[in-house]
Amino acid sequence: MNDKEEYIDFVVYFSFYCNRTAMPRIKKSYSTEFIRCYKTGLLNKEEVKSVPRSTRYYWRSKNLNTHVVPKYFEDKAHTILYLKYEKLLQLTKGLLIVVHCYKTIFSTTVYRKVFISNHKIKLLSCILTIQNKVGLKRCLHWLSISYQQYYAWVHQYDCTASLLKLCRKRYKHQLSEKEVLTIKRYLDNERFAYWSLSSIYCQMLVDKAAFISIGVFRKYAKLLCFVKQKISNNKCYTSLKATAPFKTLHLDVTIFKTLDNGKCYLYFLMDNFSRNILNYRVANTCNAAISKELLQECFSKHACFFDKGCMVVTDDGMEYKGCFTEFVNNETCITHIIAQHDIVQSNSMIEAANKRMKYEFLFTKTLENFEAVAAYLPKAVDNYNNKPLLHLSGYSPTEVLNGCVPDGKRFSDSIATAVANRKNSNTDFNCCLAYH
C-alpha cells in the first residue's frame, strides 16, 4: 500500500468518527407529575405519542410513591391537577357504572332487538355525537351494538313507497306495488268482512289475483292494519244466582278414565249458593236410578230446607228421565229445570266443579282402576268442600252452607291495619341504609 492509499483510508475513518461523535442522541427528561398524569390517564393523545414507547413501558412499572416532591410544587401543580380532575374522574366512574347497569338490564329483555330497531334513529344520533370523544369502538360497546348492526343502519335508507320501508330496487324479492294493492282490495271488500284471513287468501288464489304464501299474506295484512270486524252480541244474559242455600241445586254426570282404560261415571249434586257438593257417587253405568238415589238421599238428609221449594237444574240427558222424573214430580217442593231449555242459563256451575275436581284432585293421583277412584273420591270431595274460595270472600263451601254469609269487605279493615303497621315496621327496620 502506497502513501496515497493510506491517506485516503485515514480521511474516511476520521470523517466517520467525527460524524458519529458530532451528533449525540437527544434525551428528554420528564417531571414526576408528568409521569403521574400519564399513569392516571390525564394526558391527551398527542402528549402520549410524544413519549417514546420504551419510556412508556418503563413508566407502567414505576412506583411514584417513593419519590419526594418539593413542597412548593406539591402545593401548586399537584393540588391544581388533583382538584381539576378528581371530580371529573369520579363522575366518569359513576357514569360508567350506570351505563354498565343499564346495559346488563337491557341485555336481558325479551324484546331487545325490536326496541333497538324502533329507536335506531336516536341511537345513531347518540353514536355520531360521542364517537369523536370516546371512540366508536367504546361507544358501540357501551350500547351493546355490533359493528355489523351499526353499519347496516348507516347504509339503510327508509323507502316511503314500500310498506316494508325497503327500497324496491335494492330489495327485489318484496311484493310489487300491484300485489300490495290487490291484497288491500281483498281486505277492504265488504263481502269478506267477516271471513278469516285464510279464507280471504284462498279466494285471492282462486281468483288468480295474486300468488303469494299465506305467511306473506298475513304479514302484509298486519302492515295494512287490517282488523276483522266483530259481531256485537246484544243478548241480555244474567247468571243463575241463588239467595240462600238449598234454593237451587245442580246435578250432573262426568266421565273419568282410569289407567286400565276403564270408565267411571261421577255423579255430583251441588248447591248454587254455597258451591258445596252435597252428595256424590261413582258408578260403572250411567242411568236415572243413580241420579234419583243421589237426590233422594239429599232430600231426606236436609228435608227441613226444602219446605220453601227447591229448583234442581240438570241437562237434557237420559240419566234424568224415567224414575228420576217420577220422583221429582211426586215431590211438590222440588222443581225440575232443564238448562237452556226451560231457562236461558246453562248448567255451567256444576260443569266447572267437575273440571276442578278432575284437574285439582283426580288427575294429580295415580288411579289405576274403579276401586282406586271409589276409595279416593271421598277425600277429594272433602278437600273441595273445605277449600276457601275467592267468590265466597275466603269462606269454604262448608262454612257458607253452615251459615256464614259471603262479604266482599270481610278483610278490608284487616288489610288497612296491616298497611299502617307495615309502614311503621319498615321505618324502624335496620336495613343497609343505616350503615351508609
Side-chain angles (χ1 to χ4, degrees):
M1 182 180 294
N2 53 26
D3 296 336
K4 184 177 180 180
E5 291 178 347
E6 291 179 354
Y7 176 76
I8 294 174
D9 292 340
F10 173 78
V11 171
V12 172
Y13 177 80
F14 183 78
S15 300
F16 173 76
Y17 180 81
C18 291
N19 291 335
R20 185 173 64 85
T21 57
M23 297 180 63
R25 181 182 176 184
I26 302 175
K27 184 178 180 180
K28 292 184 179 180
S29 298
Y30 302 94
S31 67
T32 306
E33 289 305 317
F34 189 87
I35 302 174
R36 196 185 303 276
C37 291
Y38 168 76
K39 296 193 69 173
T40 55
L42 298 178
L43 300 180
N44 54 37
K45 292 183 179 180
E46 289 74 13
E47 292 174 335
V48 173
K49 289 182 179 180
S50 64
V51 181
R53 184 163 50 181
S54 59
T55 305
R56 282 180 279 164
Y57 179 80
Y58 170 70
W59 285 354
R60 293 192 192 102
S61 60
K62 190 173 184 180
N63 186 10
L64 299 179
N65 296 330
T66 59
H67 290 250
V68 179
V69 182
K71 184 174 180 56
Y72 174 81
F73 189 83
E74 183 179 1
D75 293 339
K76 296 291 183 178
H78 185 267
T79 304
I80 293 173
L81 286 174
Y82 181 82
L83 294 177
K84 184 177 181 180
Y85 294 108
E86 181 65 21
K87 290 184 179 180
L88 182 60
L89 287 173
Q90 295 298 329
L91 179 61
T92 305
K93 291 180 181 178
L95 289 176
L96 288 176
I97 294 173
V98 173
V99 169
H100 179 72
C101 178
Y102 274 99
K103 177 183 174 182
T104 305
I105 296 173
F106 185 67
S107 61
T108 59
T109 56
V110 180
Y111 301 101
R112 174 182 173 274
K113 293 184 178 180
V114 178
F115 184 82
I116 288 179
S117 179
N118 293 337
H119 297 82
K120 62 181 179 181
I121 297 178
K122 291 184 179 179
L123 290 172
L124 282 174
S125 176
C126 176
I127 293 172
L128 294 175
T129 302
I130 66 175
Q131 67 174 350
N132 294 330
K133 301 178 181 179
V134 299
L136 179 61
K137 181 179 179 180
R138 183 174 296 175
C139 181
L140 295 179
H141 176 69
W142 288 350
L143 296 175
S144 297
I145 299 175
S146 63
Y147 278 97
Q148 292 83 354
Q149 182 66 74
Y150 169 71
Y151 286 111
W153 287 348
V154 171
H155 297 96
Q156 182 179 352
Y157 302 94
D158 291 341
C159 180
T160 57
S162 172
L163 283 176
L164 300 177
K165 296 183 179 181
L166 299 175
C167 179
R168 295 185 186 276
K169 294 183 178 180
R170 296 182 60 185
Y171 302 92
K172 302 176 182 179
H173 292 287
Q174 62 180 304
L175 296 185
S176 63
E177 185 179 1
K178 181 180 178 182
E179 290 174 321
V180 174
L181 293 176
T182 301
I183 295 175
K184 189 174 186 305
R185 186 174 72 253
Y186 272 82
L187 294 176
D188 294 340
N189 195 333
E190 294 183 359
R191 177 189 169 193
F192 314 131
Y194 300 101
W195 285 25
S196 63
L197 282 177
S198 58
S199 297
I200 300 175
Y201 166 75
C202 293
Q203 184 65 43
M204 184 181 67
L205 296 181
V206 171
D207 296 340
K208 298 181 180 180
F211 295 97
I212 57 176
S213 66
I214 182 63
V216 174
F217 181 80
R218 292 183 185 275
K219 180 179 181 179
Y220 275 84
K222 184 178 180 180
L223 292 173
L224 291 169
C225 301
F226 171 74
V227 179
K228 185 179 178 181
Q229 296 185 17
K230 296 182 180 180
I231 302 175
S232 59
N233 188 2
N234 297 324
K235 295 181 180 180
C236 183
Y237 179 85
T238 56
S239 59
L240 189 62
K241 293 182 180 180
T243 57
F246 299 101
K247 291 291 184 182
T248 303
L249 305 182
H250 297 269
L251 180 59
D252 192 32
V253 182
T254 185
I255 300 175
F256 176 75
K257 285 190 175 183
T258 56
L259 295 180
D260 61 355
N261 205 25
K263 284 186 178 181
C264 298
Y265 293 90
L266 306 179
Y267 294 75
F268 293 109
L269 180 65
M270 171 180 278
D271 177 56
N272 180 286
F273 183 78
S274 63
R275 268 67 167 178
N276 187 277
I277 297 178
L278 302 174
N279 204 355
Y280 60 92
R281 193 64 48 84
V282 55
N284 290 319
T285 59
C286 180
N287 55 55
I290 300 177
S291 301
K292 172 197 169 183
E293 181 182 353
L294 206 67
L295 182 61
Q296 192 174 13
E297 289 179 1
C298 180
F299 181 76
S300 301
K301 184 177 180 180
H302 307 283
C304 59
F305 296 101
F306 290 88
D307 294 339
K308 296 182 180 180
C310 175
M311 182 171 64
V312 179
V313 182
T314 65
D315 54 30
D316 197 16
M318 51 82 63
E319 62 271 16
Y320 308 112
K321 309 292 184 181
C323 60
F324 179 84
T325 305
E326 292 177 2
F327 171 75
V328 172
N329 293 335
N330 293 333
E331 299 294 340
T332 57
C333 58
I334 299 178
T335 305
H336 183 204
I337 300 296
I338 299 176
Q340 295 183 332
H341 183 273
D342 300 329
I343 57 176
V344 179
Q345 292 83 359
S346 64
N347 204 19
S348 59
M349 181 173 292
I350 186 65
E351 291 171 356
N354 293 338
K355 185 176 181 180
R356 283 191 171 185
M357 184 62 64
K358 290 180 179 179
Y359 283 90
E360 295 181 7
F361 299 100
L362 298 178
F363 287 158
T364 61
K365 302 295 180 180
T366 304
L367 304 175
E368 297 181 354
N369 48 37
F370 176 84
E371 289 74 15
V373 176
Y376 176 68
L377 190 60
K379 298 179 181 179
V381 173
D382 183 67
N383 289 334
Y384 179 88
N385 286 337
N386 292 281
K387 180 179 64 175
L389 302 178
L390 180 62
H391 51 265
L392 296 180
S393 303
Y395 290 113
S396 65
T398 302
E399 291 174 330
V400 176
L401 187 69
N402 293 333
C404 296
V405 180
D407 184 11
K409 299 181 179 180
R410 178 187 176 188
F411 299 104
S412 298
D413 295 338
S414 300
I415 293 175
T417 304
V419 170
N421 295 336
R422 190 179 304 121
K423 292 180 180 179
N424 297 332
S425 177
N426 291 334
T427 302
D428 299 335
F429 182 74
N430 294 326
C431 67
C432 57
L433 293 177
Y435 302 99
H436 288 185

Short mmCIF file of all heavy atoms in Angstrom, two decimals, residues 281-313:
data_model
loop_
_atom_site.label_atom_id
_atom_site.label_comp_id
_atom_site.label_asym_id
_atom_site.label_seq_id
_atom_site.Cartn_x
_atom_site.Cartn_y
_atom_site.Cartn_z
N ARG A 281 -121.44 -39.70 43.86
CA ARG A 281 -121.47 -41.14 43.66
C ARG A 281 -120.56 -41.49 42.49
O ARG A 281 -120.45 -40.74 41.52
CB ARG A 281 -122.90 -41.61 43.36
CG ARG A 281 -123.15 -43.11 43.44
CD ARG A 281 -122.94 -43.65 44.85
NE ARG A 281 -123.62 -42.86 45.85
CZ ARG A 281 -124.90 -42.98 46.21
NH1 ARG A 281 -125.66 -43.89 45.61
NH2 ARG A 281 -125.43 -42.21 47.13
N VAL A 282 -119.88 -42.63 42.55
CA VAL A 282 -119.09 -43.15 41.44
C VAL A 282 -119.67 -44.50 41.05
O VAL A 282 -119.96 -45.34 41.89
CB VAL A 282 -117.60 -43.29 41.84
CG1 VAL A 282 -117.42 -44.13 43.09
CG2 VAL A 282 -116.79 -43.85 40.69
N ALA A 283 -119.90 -44.69 39.74
CA ALA A 283 -120.58 -45.90 39.26
C ALA A 283 -119.97 -46.33 37.93
O ALA A 283 -119.25 -45.57 37.27
CB ALA A 283 -122.08 -45.65 39.11
N ASN A 284 -120.30 -47.58 37.55
CA ASN A 284 -119.83 -48.11 36.28
C ASN A 284 -120.79 -47.83 35.14
O ASN A 284 -120.44 -48.03 33.97
CB ASN A 284 -119.62 -49.63 36.38
CG ASN A 284 -118.44 -49.97 37.26
OD1 ASN A 284 -117.40 -49.31 37.19
ND2 ASN A 284 -118.57 -51.01 38.09
N THR A 285 -121.99 -47.39 35.46
CA THR A 285 -123.01 -47.13 34.44
C THR A 285 -123.60 -45.75 34.65
O THR A 285 -123.44 -45.13 35.72
CB THR A 285 -124.13 -48.18 34.52
OG1 THR A 285 -124.73 -48.14 35.83
CG2 THR A 285 -123.59 -49.57 34.22
N CYS A 286 -124.30 -45.31 33.62
CA CYS A 286 -124.98 -44.01 33.68
C CYS A 286 -126.47 -44.26 33.50
O CYS A 286 -126.91 -44.62 32.39
CB CYS A 286 -124.44 -43.09 32.59
SG CYS A 286 -125.20 -41.46 32.56
N ASN A 287 -127.26 -44.08 34.57
CA ASN A 287 -128.70 -44.31 34.47
C ASN A 287 -129.44 -43.39 35.43
O ASN A 287 -128.84 -42.75 36.30
CB ASN A 287 -129.05 -45.78 34.76
CG ASN A 287 -128.50 -46.25 36.09
OD1 ASN A 287 -128.77 -45.65 37.13
ND2 ASN A 287 -127.70 -47.32 36.07
N ALA A 288 -130.73 -43.31 35.27
CA ALA A 288 -131.57 -42.40 36.04
C ALA A 288 -131.73 -42.85 37.49
O ALA A 288 -132.00 -42.02 38.38
CB ALA A 288 -132.94 -42.27 35.38
N ALA A 289 -131.59 -44.16 37.75
CA ALA A 289 -131.78 -44.65 39.12
C ALA A 289 -130.73 -44.06 40.07
O ALA A 289 -131.05 -43.70 41.22
CB ALA A 289 -131.71 -46.17 39.14
N ILE A 290 -129.49 -43.93 39.60
CA ILE A 290 -128.44 -43.36 40.46
C ILE A 290 -128.69 -41.88 40.68
O ILE A 290 -128.51 -41.37 41.80
CB ILE A 290 -127.06 -43.59 39.82
CG1 ILE A 290 -126.80 -45.09 39.63
CG2 ILE A 290 -125.96 -42.97 40.66
CD1 ILE A 290 -125.49 -45.42 38.93
N SER A 291 -129.14 -41.17 39.68
CA SER A 291 -129.46 -39.74 39.84
C SER A 291 -130.59 -39.56 40.83
O SER A 291 -130.56 -38.65 41.68
CB SER A 291 -129.85 -39.14 38.49
OG SER A 291 -128.81 -39.28 37.55
N LYS A 292 -131.61 -40.42 40.75
CA LYS A 292 -132.73 -40.35 41.69
C LYS A 292 -132.24 -40.65 43.11
O LYS A 292 -132.62 -39.96 44.08
CB LYS A 292 -133.79 -41.36 41.27
CG LYS A 292 -134.91 -41.52 42.29
CD LYS A 292 -135.69 -42.79 42.05
CE LYS A 292 -136.63 -43.06 43.24
NZ LYS A 292 -137.36 -44.33 43.09
N GLU A 293 -131.42 -41.67 43.26
CA GLU A 293 -130.91 -42.04 44.58
C GLU A 293 -130.09 -40.91 45.19
O GLU A 293 -130.19 -40.63 46.39
CB GLU A 293 -130.07 -43.30 44.45
CG GLU A 293 -129.50 -43.81 45.77
CD GLU A 293 -128.64 -45.03 45.57
OE1 GLU A 293 -128.61 -45.56 44.45
OE2 GLU A 293 -127.98 -45.44 46.55
N LEU A 294 -129.31 -40.22 44.36
CA LEU A 294 -128.47 -39.12 44.83
C LEU A 294 -129.33 -37.98 45.36
O LEU A 294 -129.08 -37.44 46.45
CB LEU A 294 -127.60 -38.64 43.66
CG LEU A 294 -126.27 -37.95 44.01
CD1 LEU A 294 -125.32 -38.95 44.64
CD2 LEU A 294 -125.63 -37.37 42.75
N LEU A 295 -130.37 -37.61 44.61
CA LEU A 295 -131.24 -36.51 45.02
C LEU A 295 -132.12 -36.92 46.20
O LEU A 295 -132.38 -36.11 47.10
CB LEU A 295 -132.11 -36.08 43.84
CG LEU A 295 -133.05 -34.90 44.08
CD1 LEU A 295 -132.26 -33.64 44.45
CD2 LEU A 295 -133.89 -34.62 42.83
N GLN A 296 -132.55 -38.16 46.24
CA GLN A 296 -133.41 -38.65 47.33
C GLN A 296 -132.67 -38.65 48.66
O GLN A 296 -133.24 -38.27 49.70
CB GLN A 296 -133.91 -40.05 46.99
CG GLN A 296 -135.03 -40.54 47.90
CD GLN A 296 -135.59 -41.86 47.42
OE1 GLN A 296 -135.00 -42.53 46.57
NE2 GLN A 296 -136.75 -42.24 47.95
N GLU A 297 -131.39 -39.04 48.65
CA GLU A 297 -130.61 -39.02 49.89
C GLU A 297 -130.43 -37.60 50.40
O GLU A 297 -130.53 -37.35 51.61
CB GLU A 297 -129.25 -39.67 49.63
CG GLU A 297 -129.29 -41.16 49.43
CD GLU A 297 -127.91 -41.74 49.14
OE1 GLU A 297 -126.94 -40.93 49.12
OE2 GLU A 297 -127.80 -42.96 48.96
N CYS A 298 -130.17 -36.68 49.50
CA CYS A 298 -130.02 -35.28 49.92
C CYS A 298 -131.33 -34.72 50.45
O CYS A 298 -131.36 -33.97 51.44
CB CYS A 298 -129.53 -34.45 48.73
SG CYS A 298 -129.29 -32.70 49.10
N PHE A 299 -132.44 -35.07 49.81
CA PHE A 299 -133.76 -34.59 50.25
C PHE A 299 -134.10 -35.13 51.64
O PHE A 299 -134.67 -34.42 52.48
CB PHE A 299 -134.82 -35.00 49.23
CG PHE A 299 -136.19 -34.54 49.57
CD1 PHE A 299 -136.56 -33.21 49.38
CD2 PHE A 299 -137.12 -35.43 50.09
CE1 PHE A 299 -137.85 -32.78 49.72
CE2 PHE A 299 -138.40 -35.00 50.42
CZ PHE A 299 -138.76 -33.67 50.23
N SER A 300 -133.74 -36.39 51.90
CA SER A 300 -134.03 -36.99 53.22
C SER A 300 -133.15 -36.38 54.31
O SER A 300 -133.59 -36.20 55.45
CB SER A 300 -133.82 -38.50 53.16
OG SER A 300 -134.65 -39.08 52.18
N LYS A 301 -131.89 -36.07 53.97
CA LYS A 301 -130.96 -35.54 54.96
C LYS A 301 -131.25 -34.10 55.30
O LYS A 301 -131.10 -33.68 56.47
CB LYS A 301 -129.53 -35.69 54.43
CG LYS A 301 -128.46 -35.27 55.40
CD LYS A 301 -127.08 -35.52 54.81
CE LYS A 301 -125.97 -35.11 55.77
NZ LYS A 301 -124.62 -35.34 55.19
N HIS A 302 -131.67 -33.30 54.33
CA HIS A 302 -131.91 -31.87 54.54
C HIS A 302 -133.36 -31.52 54.23
O HIS A 302 -133.65 -30.53 53.55
CB HIS A 302 -130.98 -31.03 53.66
CG HIS A 302 -129.54 -31.37 53.80
ND1 HIS A 302 -128.78 -30.96 54.87
CD2 HIS A 302 -128.70 -32.11 53.00
CE1 HIS A 302 -127.52 -31.40 54.73
NE2 HIS A 302 -127.46 -32.11 53.60
N ALA A 303 -134.30 -32.34 54.72
CA ALA A 303 -135.72 -32.14 54.38
C ALA A 303 -136.25 -30.81 54.87
O ALA A 303 -137.11 -30.18 54.22
CB ALA A 303 -136.55 -33.29 54.96
N CYS A 304 -135.72 -30.32 55.99
CA CYS A 304 -136.23 -29.07 56.56
C CYS A 304 -135.94 -27.86 55.69
O CYS A 304 -136.64 -26.84 55.78
CB CYS A 304 -135.69 -28.87 57.96
SG CYS A 304 -133.88 -28.80 58.02
N PHE A 305 -134.93 -27.95 54.83
CA PHE A 305 -134.57 -26.81 53.98
C PHE A 305 -135.34 -26.78 52.67
O PHE A 305 -135.28 -25.80 51.94
CB PHE A 305 -133.06 -26.86 53.66
CG PHE A 305 -132.18 -26.71 54.87
CD1 PHE A 305 -131.58 -27.81 55.46
CD2 PHE A 305 -131.97 -25.45 55.42
CE1 PHE A 305 -130.78 -27.66 56.58
CE2 PHE A 305 -131.15 -25.30 56.53
CZ PHE A 305 -130.56 -26.41 57.12
N PHE A 306 -136.08 -27.86 52.37
CA PHE A 306 -136.80 -27.94 51.10
C PHE A 306 -138.26 -27.52 51.23
O PHE A 306 -139.02 -27.62 50.27
CB PHE A 306 -136.73 -29.36 50.54
CG PHE A 306 -135.37 -29.76 50.05
CD1 PHE A 306 -134.43 -30.32 50.92
CD2 PHE A 306 -135.01 -29.58 48.73
CE1 PHE A 306 -133.19 -30.69 50.48
CE2 PHE A 306 -133.75 -29.95 48.29
CZ PHE A 306 -132.83 -30.52 49.16
N ASP A 307 -138.67 -27.05 52.41
CA ASP A 307 -140.09 -26.72 52.62
C ASP A 307 -140.53 -25.55 51.75
O ASP A 307 -141.67 -25.51 51.26
CB ASP A 307 -140.34 -26.41 54.10
CG ASP A 307 -140.13 -27.63 54.97
OD1 ASP A 307 -140.20 -28.75 54.41
OD2 ASP A 307 -139.87 -27.47 56.18
N LYS A 308 -139.64 -24.58 51.55
CA LYS A 308 -139.99 -23.39 50.79
C LYS A 308 -139.79 -23.56 49.28
O LYS A 308 -139.94 -22.61 48.53
CB LYS A 308 -139.18 -22.20 51.28
CG LYS A 308 -139.47 -21.84 52.73
CD LYS A 308 -138.67 -20.61 53.15
CE LYS A 308 -138.97 -20.26 54.61
NZ LYS A 308 -138.20 -19.07 55.05
N GLY A 309 -139.42 -24.75 48.87
CA GLY A 309 -139.26 -25.00 47.44
C GLY A 309 -137.80 -25.02 47.02
O GLY A 309 -136.97 -24.29 47.55
N CYS A 310 -137.50 -25.87 46.05
CA CYS A 310 -136.13 -26.02 45.56
C CYS A 310 -136.16 -26.28 44.06
O CYS A 310 -137.06 -26.98 43.56
CB CYS A 310 -135.43 -27.17 46.30
SG CYS A 310 -133.77 -27.52 45.67
N MET A 311 -135.21 -25.74 43.36
CA MET A 311 -135.11 -25.90 41.91
C MET A 311 -133.87 -26.75 41.60
O MET A 311 -132.75 -26.39 42.02
CB MET A 311 -135.02 -24.53 41.24
CG MET A 311 -134.95 -24.60 39.72
SD MET A 311 -135.10 -22.95 38.96
CE MET A 311 -133.61 -22.18 39.60
N VAL A 312 -134.05 -27.85 40.91
CA VAL A 312 -132.96 -28.74 40.54
C VAL A 312 -132.69 -28.56 39.05
O VAL A 312 -133.56 -28.81 38.21
CB VAL A 312 -133.30 -30.22 40.84
CG1 VAL A 312 -132.14 -31.12 40.42
CG2 VAL A 312 -133.62 -30.40 42.32
N VAL A 313 -131.46 -28.12 38.72
CA VAL A 313 -131.07 -27.83 37.34
C VAL A 313 -130.22 -28.97 36.82
O VAL A 313 -129.21 -29.34 37.44
CB VAL A 313 -130.30 -26.49 37.25
CG1 VAL A 313 -129.95 -26.17 35.79
CG2 VAL A 313 -131.12 -25.36 37.86
#
